[in-house]
């Protein structure tokens, strides 16, 4: 059975190859699959409470995906937040993420706690010398400003802090030196120069360094720096010098010059640190840049002049990941998409198809959906089908564009009718989105033309199938039978080594064109399980194979007998792929010569090795013949006669219990002594019935010691009583 399914396994592999090709060019917005993955990956509710950073990532992911889990985690999380914010030993990183958690859960934090944290963060900003110190302290202050009723939370010298983050910490305490340094750097940048690595944290290629002592530039650090600069702008009591803003915008454009691209249109950033102790992947690096970009664009005046295609490419990168298997990766994906959903640069719109495999037989309609990256409905727009061409061919099937009809109830665009020349196979459809409102053109990124591969399947017509035995010399037909490849067949043929076997049939598509499947295989299986596989060749619609047995006797190992004939025809777009038993043919081949090749050894059937074994029938010893029941009862009566004689003897001797002790302790020992005697008698009975000698002796040893003890006590009592009677 496993051999018969071998052909279908190849079909499945081909289908998987095609599905992977489709998946690489079709991007789907966030779906319920991401929500299920989030519930599975973030399992802190049933275990130990994670770090405050992991708690924020969990809450943020649930918030973006619309999963309400705050009530389950709020008690423990708020307690942890209160402890971190109230502790003077908490790190800047813990304070930063504790404030982020509080921004989601809205914990009951007193104003004086916020004031204490704000004072500590302002002091940290003043003494910061590394990028991460600025990032956590400035970010924490920006979060406090949004969580308290205090409106006068500003940085005293926001512009000076901005310069400190961007250039160096040499001028932290000298605003005059800072401005002079800024002017010098601006002049150098204006003439095409760059600031030396010992002076600036920001580099000429848009990347940043983590501190002035580290010569390595980082793309991920650029995202952190942009977030920190955005926080400073929001904390400034006055407008930041526009030259600083313009210089930062220019750095962003330079950073995007180094962006990388996949063939499917996805754009991403990759970390290029050479001596990094910990490699940051493309997902975390791109996510950092997206957070920094959207944060800075939200507070900076004017546009960034970034191409909308690159913003759409970033969204495609995150969506192309699918469903990550790691909680950190899922957070980076979902959080970045949420920022792209609400950014002020350009909101990506994703064109997707609910189904990319359509049946011509069932007349499936071509449907298109347009959503934002999180699955929200798109603004009013029109979807046009511009071109259709067959994959691997340059011939265009559709020259005039067609507008898809919009169904407002289901938010789906539907194509009324496919181009008449569309047949089974793989096609590329080119779509275009046109926004109705002209103001939306600068707000949304549509990406121009979108190419999507689509598979069309159908029922392939199978005609004129027949099998025949031909004369080897003249080629005349000796036996010919038609076969029904859609039903059951029991064809029986006979041939010798001087004849040929011919099998033929025709395949055509729903439009009547010739169809060439991935597989057309004829298999002959001898009754000894030796298999012979042949590939069928085609010419137009006709498939035919002729087996000349005279030239194949060695390949058949001179094995005469019955051969089962099986035909396999299949393709990924063929809805009626089949594996049919055509019948059998009895071959009469000549006797093998001395050095003829031997058939290969057939593998053992796993069922014969690991399958159930035959039931073992046990043969027991035949029971010995027993005496009659009456004889056994008579013998039992005779064995009881001595016991009756013993009782009669006791009566004749006048046995009595006058000497049985009347005191409690001697009476107890006397009773135990008689019970011990009875136990010994019972042990003898058990030995006679079922006990072996060793078990009986072991029990008798314990009973003997017991009888010696209690017997000695009772005999001592009797001897003492007798001595007292004699002396009296």
């Amino acid at each position: 059975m496993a051999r018969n399914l071998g052909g279908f396994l190849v079909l499945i592999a081909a289908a998987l190859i095609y599905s992977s090709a489709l998946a690489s060019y079709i991007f789907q917005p966030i779906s319920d699959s991401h929500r299920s993955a989030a519930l599975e990956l973030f399992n802190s509710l049933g275990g130990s409470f994670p770090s405050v950073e992991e708690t924020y990532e969990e809450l943020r992911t649930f918030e973006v995906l619309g999963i309400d889990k705050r009530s389950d985690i709020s008690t423990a999380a708020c307690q942890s937040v209160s402890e971190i914010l109230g502790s003077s030993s908490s790190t800047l990183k813990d304070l930063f993420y504790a404030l982020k958690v509080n921004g989601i859960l809205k914990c009951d934090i007193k104003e004086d706690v916020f004031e204490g944290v704000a004072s500590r963060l302002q002091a940290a900003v003043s003494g910061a010398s590394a990028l991460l110190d600025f990032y956590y302290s400035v970010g924490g202050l920006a979060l406090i400003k949004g969580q308290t009723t205090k409106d006068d939370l500003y940085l005293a010298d926001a512009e000076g802090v901005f310069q400190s983050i961007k250039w160096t910490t040499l001028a932290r305490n000298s605003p005059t030196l800072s401005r002079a340094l800024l002017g010098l750097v601006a002049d150098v940048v204006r003439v095409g120069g760059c600031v030396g690595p010992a002076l600036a944290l920001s580099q000429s290629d848009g990347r940043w360094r983590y501190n002035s002592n580290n010569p390595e530039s980082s793309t991920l650090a650029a995202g952190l720096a942009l977030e920190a600069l955005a926080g400073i702008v929001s904390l400034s009591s006055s407008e930041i010098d526009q030259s600083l803003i313009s210089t930062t915008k220019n750095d962003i454009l330079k950073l995007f010059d180094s962006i990388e691209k996949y063939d499917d249109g996805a754009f991403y950033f990759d970390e290029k640190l050479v001596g990094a102790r910990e490699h940051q992947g493309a997902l975390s690096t791109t996510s950092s840049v997206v957070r920094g970009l959207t944060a800075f664009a939200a507070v900076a005046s004017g546009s960034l002049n970034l191409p909308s295609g690159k913003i759409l490419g970033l969204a495609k990168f995150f969506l192309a990941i699918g469903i990550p298997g790691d909680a950190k990766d899922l957070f980076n994906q979902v959080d970045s998409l949420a920022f792209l959903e609400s950014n002020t640069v350009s909101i990506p719109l994703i064109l997707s198809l609910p189904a990319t495999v359509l049946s011509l037989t069932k007349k499936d309609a071509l449907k298109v959906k347009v959503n934002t990256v999180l699955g929200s409905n798109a603004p009013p727009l029109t979807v046009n089908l511009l071109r259709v061409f067959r994959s691997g061919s340059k011939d265009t099937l559709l020259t005039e564009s067609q507008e898809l009809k919009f169904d407002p109830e289901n938010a789906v665009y539907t194509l009324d009718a496919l181009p008449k020349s569309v047949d089974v196979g793989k096609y590329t459809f080119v779509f275009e989105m046109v926004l109705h409102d002209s103001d939306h053109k600068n707000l949304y990124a549509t990406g121009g033309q979108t190419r999507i591969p689509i598979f069309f399947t159908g029922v392939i017509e199978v005609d004129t199938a027949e099998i025949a035995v031909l004369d080897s010399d003249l080629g005349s037909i000796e036996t010919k039978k038609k076969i029904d490849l859609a039903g059951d067949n029991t064809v029986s043929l006979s041939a010798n080594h001087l004849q040929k076997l011919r099998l033929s049939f025709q395949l055509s598509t729903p439009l009547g064109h010739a169809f060439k499947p991935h597989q057309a295989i004829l298999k002959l299986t001898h009754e000894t399980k030796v298999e012979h596989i042949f590939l069928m060749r085609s010419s137009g619609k006709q498939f035919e194979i002729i087996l000349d047995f005279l030239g194949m006797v060695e390949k058949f190992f001179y094995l005469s007998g019955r051969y089962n004939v099986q035909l396999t025809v299949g393709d990924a777009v063929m809805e009626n792929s089949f594996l049919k038993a055509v019948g059998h043919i009895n071959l009469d081949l000549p006797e093998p010569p001395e050095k003829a090749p031997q058939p290969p050894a057939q593998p053992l059937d796993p069922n014969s090795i690991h399958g159930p074994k035959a039931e073992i029938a046990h043969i027991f010893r035949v029971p010995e013949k027993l005496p009659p029941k009456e004889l056994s009862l008579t013998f039992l009566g005779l064995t009881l006669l001595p016991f009756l004689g013993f009782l009669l003897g006791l009566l004749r001797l006048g046995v009595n219990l006058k000497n049985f002790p009347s005191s409690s302790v001697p009476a107890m020992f006397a009773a135990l002594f008689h019970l011990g005697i009875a136990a010994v008698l019972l042990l003898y009975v058990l030995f006679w019935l079922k006990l072996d000698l060793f078990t009986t002796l072991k029990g008798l040893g314990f009973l003997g010691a017991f009888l010696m003890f209690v017997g000695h006590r009772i005999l001592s009592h009797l001897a003492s009583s007798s001595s007292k009677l004699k002396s009296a």
Side-chain angles (χ1 to χ4, degrees), residues 440-563:
H440 287 167
K441 294 181 180 180
N442 296 326
L443 181 60
Y444 293 94
T446 60
Q449 298 181 1
T450 303
R451 295 172 173 244
I452 295 183
I454 302 177
F455 264 98
F456 288 95
T457 65
V459 174
I460 302 301
E461 189 72 23
V462 185
D463 295 319
T464 63
E466 61 181 25
I467 186 169
V469 175
L470 310 178
D471 183 77
S472 180
D473 295 331
L474 302 177
S476 60
I477 299 176
E478 292 197 3
T479 306
K480 181 174 71 171
K481 294 185 178 182
K482 292 186 177 182
I483 53 179
D484 181 13
L485 295 179
D488 297 329
N489 299 276
T490 56
V491 175
S492 178
L493 299 172
S494 297
N496 57 40
H497 67 286
L498 299 178
Q499 295 176 318
K500 301 177 182 179
L501 178 69
R502 184 184 71 187
L503 176 67
S504 63
F505 56 89
Q506 291 184 355
L507 297 179
S508 57
T509 66
L511 295 184
H513 300 148
F515 179 73
K516 186 175 182 180
H518 288 147
Q519 288 185 332
I521 299 173
L522 176 66
K523 183 170 73 172
L524 273 64
T525 305
H526 190 253
E527 53 194 12
T528 59
K529 306 301 181 182
V530 178
E531 296 180 347
H532 304 280
I533 297 176
F534 306 93
L535 297 178
M536 300 193 64
R537 300 185 180 277
S538 65
S539 175
K541 297 181 181 180
Q542 184 74 15
F543 282 78
E544 185 179 74
I545 186 171
I546 298 178
L547 301 180
D548 186 356
F549 296 125
L550 181 60
M552 304 177 69
V553 289
E554 287 193 1
K555 184 174 182 178
F556 280 81
F557 306 107
Y558 296 90
L559 292 176
S560 300
R562 172 169 170 160
Y563 285 82

Side-chain angles (χ1 to χ4, degrees), residues 174-495:
S174 177
T176 303
L177 180 58
S178 295
R179 293 182 177 88
L181 179 62
L182 175 61
L184 174 62
V185 171
D187 292 339
V188 172
V189 173
R190 191 176 300 113
V191 297
C194 64
V195 181
L199 179 66
L201 293 181
S202 63
Q203 303 299 292
S204 59
D205 58 357
R207 295 187 296 164
W208 288 61
R209 295 185 298 156
Y210 284 101
N211 54 64
S212 57
N213 297 323
N214 185 3
E216 291 286 351
S217 300
S218 167
T219 306
L220 189 144
L224 301 178
L226 291 175
E227 277 194 83
L229 295 176
I232 293 174
V233 175
S234 64
L235 292 171
S236 177
S237 58
S238 59
E239 186 177 359
I240 298 293
D241 190 344
Q242 286 303 307
S243 61
L244 291 174
I245 302 296
S246 299
T247 304
T248 306
K249 289 180 180 180
N250 187 50
D251 290 341
I252 294 176
L253 295 178
K254 291 180 179 178
L255 181 65
F256 269 77
D257 289 340
S258 64
I259 198 170
E260 301 185 46
K261 181 182 180 181
Y262 287 118
D263 294 337
D264 57 5
F267 286 88
Y268 68 99
F269 292 94
D270 201 2
E271 192 63 277
K272 298 179 181 179
L273 285 176
V274 178
R277 291 175 295 177
E278 181 180 357
H279 175 72
Q280 298 291 342
L283 177 56
S284 57
T285 303
T286 308
S287 180
S288 175
V289 174
V290 167
R291 293 191 191 99
L293 169 68
T294 54
F296 189 80
V299 298
S301 58
S303 62
L304 295 180
N305 295 323
L306 280 175
S308 61
K310 291 187 177 181
I311 302 299
L312 179 61
L314 291 173
K316 290 181 177 180
F317 168 74
F318 291 112
L319 293 176
I321 295 172
I323 301 176
D326 179 73
K328 184 75 172 181
D329 291 343
L330 180 62
F331 162 73
N332 283 329
Q333 179 196 44
V334 172
D335 187 50
S336 300
L337 290 174
F339 280 111
L340 290 174
E341 174 99 351
S342 59
N343 79 91
T344 60
V345 180
S346 188
I347 300 175
L349 294 179
I350 303 299
L351 187 147
S352 61
L353 272 66
T356 55
V357 179
L358 304 178
S359 172
L360 295 177
T361 305
K362 299 177 182 178
K363 297 181 179 179
D364 292 338
L366 175 61
K367 297 181 179 180
V368 173
K369 299 188 71 175
V370 180
N371 304 94
T372 62
V373 291
L374 295 184
S376 301
N377 291 333
L381 54 81
T382 299
V383 177
N384 295 323
L385 176 60
L386 300 182
R387 293 186 304 280
V388 177
F389 54 90
R390 195 180 186 98
S391 298
S393 174
K394 297 181 180 180
D395 297 335
T396 302
L397 304 181
L398 179 69
T399 56
E400 295 182 2
S401 63
Q402 295 184 16
E403 180 180 340
L404 279 67
K405 287 187 176 181
F406 179 64
D407 179 8
E409 183 177 353
N410 299 314
V412 173
Y413 297 84
T414 306
L415 183 65
D416 285 339
L418 293 170
K420 295 181 180 181
S421 55
V422 170
D423 207 346
V424 294
K426 181 183 178 183
Y427 293 82
T428 299
F429 280 59
V430 182
F431 297 96
E432 180 187 42
M433 294 179 283
V434 180
L435 294 164
H436 293 173
D437 192 341
S438 59
D439 294 336
H440 287 167
K441 294 181 180 180
N442 296 326
L443 181 60
Y444 293 94
T446 60
Q449 298 181 1
T450 303
R451 295 172 173 244
I452 295 183
I454 302 177
F455 264 98
F456 288 95
T457 65
V459 174
I460 302 301
E461 189 72 23
V462 185
D463 295 319
T464 63
E466 61 181 25
I467 186 169
V469 175
L470 310 178
D471 183 77
S472 180
D473 295 331
L474 302 177
S476 60
I477 299 176
E478 292 197 3
T479 306
K480 181 174 71 171
K481 294 185 178 182
K482 292 186 177 182
I483 53 179
D484 181 13
L485 295 179
D488 297 329
N489 299 276
T490 56
V491 175
S492 178
L493 299 172
S494 297

